[in-house]
Amino acid sequence: MTQHWSHTFYALQDRLTGCHLQEIHPHHAALAARITHHLKHVGTLLELGAGGGQFAVSAARQGHQVTALDLWAGAGEYTRSLAARNSVSVQVVTGDFYTVDFPGTFESVCYWDGFGIGSDDDQRRLLSRVAGWLRPGATAFIDIYTPWYWAYHAGFARQHPGYTQVYGFDAQGCRMTDTYMPHGEEALTQSLRCYSPADLQLLLSGTGLVLTDVWPGGDYDPQAGVYRPEASLGECMTFTVLLQREPSLSAAGRARR
Ligand SMILES: C[S@@+](CC[C@H](N)C(=O)[O-])C[C@H]1O[C@@H](n2cnc3c(N)ncnc32)[C@H](O)[C@@H]1O
């Protein structure tokens, strides 16, 4: 497995902020309810990059049969304990979404807060795999970071006890950067490719997926520390794309992915 910033960043971010291994927030339950309402039924649901499992457990509480995949073993352990505390069953898989295999397909695939890790080719590879994991008529829900939010807030820095956090934007590569500088330790940066819906349409070509809807997400004011859950597409930090498998994607085509 190729070592990448994502193999170390999220555990450090959690050690500094505790942001991943937390209890379920009402936001997770509301998101799970929105997905269920949209699908009009519960069923098999694969969550990629599931982190501490707060959404996975919320979806399981609504009746979905959830598989929660994450690279970081600590996240998987936490998801197991969160599921047990909420009296639901979640299948936890520790693995890499570029290489993991699942025996069947799913009625939905979700990936919240994390798309855009590598190059455009990496993104296409992942999206092609998502197409292969979807059953006909099934939907993938993926959060996409917007360039405009990150370009606007680049340069914002916040001092915390023990570390400094700095937002940045790589205009050439159209990537947000988020750097954590623990005092006396090496800094770590996450860098995610940002896309507009039009750019994402271009990225989807050849992946076997079609864009069916765009849900604008929220807007975080880093100066005030206030999150507004509903913003317009032109203001939001992320939007969710709804993707469906192209009807023409054959079983043979899926097997090659
Ligand atoms: C920003 S966190 C988001 C966690 C969760 N989705 C949420 O919204 O709270 C991104 C997660 O993706 C996971 N991840 C990153 N690269 C991955 C990969 N190649 N395969 C599986 N999980 C990955 C990280 O370990 C991390 O837990």
Side-chain angles (χ1 to χ4, degrees):
M1 197 189 285
T2 312
Q3 280 297 314
H4 198 269
W5 65 259
S6 57
H7 289 238
T8 45
F9 176 82
Y10 295 107
L12 171 84
Q13 187 188 36
D14 188 73
R15 179 162 66 77
L16 295 175
T17 67
C19 66
H20 296 299
L21 308 187
Q22 290 200 348
E23 289 304 315
I24 294 171
H25 186 274
H27 151 80
H28 297 111
L31 184 57
R34 186 174 191 189
I35 297 307
T36 308
H37 179 76
H38 180 83
L39 295 171
K40 300 189 178 68
H41 58 82
V42 292
T44 52
L45 183 155
L46 169 64
E47 187 183 359
L48 306 174
Q54 294 84 1
F55 171 79
V57 171
S58 302
R61 284 177 64 166
Q62 294 193 5
H64 293 276
Q65 297 143 254
V66 181
T67 301
L69 171 72
D70 204 284
L71 196 56
W72 170 27
E77 283 160 28
Y78 186 83
T79 299
R80 277 192 196 94
S81 72
L82 193 63
R85 276 186 275 127
N86 282 275
S87 309
V88 290
S89 152
V90 169
Q91 183 175 9
V92 174
V93 179
T94 296
D96 185 337
F97 48 52
Y98 290 118
T99 54
V100 72
D101 280 323
F102 295 107
T105 51
F106 297 86
E107 285 166 281
S108 56
V109 175
C110 300
Y111 185 11
W112 310 121
D113 185 21
F115 184 79
I117 286 175
S119 64
D120 284 349
D121 280 348
D122 292 329
Q123 260 70 267
R124 275 190 211 99
R125 194 150 56 94
L126 179 60
L127 290 166
S128 299
R129 304 201 88 213
V130 168
W133 289 326
L134 288 175
R135 222 165 261 187
T139 305
F141 302 83
I142 303 183
D143 279 344
I144 310 292
Y145 278 73
T146 66
W148 44 88
Y149 175 89
W150 295 98
Y152 184 79
H153 290 289
F156 169 75
R158 185 169 30 212
Q159 305 291 335
H160 297 268
Y163 72 97
T164 304
Q165 181 186 10
V166 183
Y167 284 8
F169 186 69
D170 161 14
Q172 178 80 27
C174 197
R175 304 184 73 89
M176 64 78 93
T177 63
D178 179 23
T179 300
Y180 286 77
M181 296 182 278
H183 302 164
E185 287 179 54
E186 195 186 334
L188 274 187
T189 298
Q190 66 170 325
S191 153
L192 298 174
R193 175 77 157 93
C194 302
Y195 300 93
S196 66
D199 293 339
L200 196 88
Q201 288 270 24
L202 297 174
L203 191 74
L204 287 177
S205 173
T207 63
L209 292 172
V210 287
L211 179 66
T212 58
D213 206 355
V214 173
W215 293 349
D219 171 32
Y220 177 64
D221 178 346
Q223 304 286 349
V226 174
Y227 182 72
R228 200 162 47 106
E230 287 177 25
S232 70
L233 182 60
E235 295 169 314
C236 63
M237 183 161 65
T238 61
F239 55 89
T240 303
V241 287
L242 277 61
L243 307 172
Q244 290 204 328
R245 221 180 79 185
E246 280 172 11
S248 57
L249 184 65
S250 66
R254 293 201 311 279
R256 283 198 295 274
R257 287 160 199 270

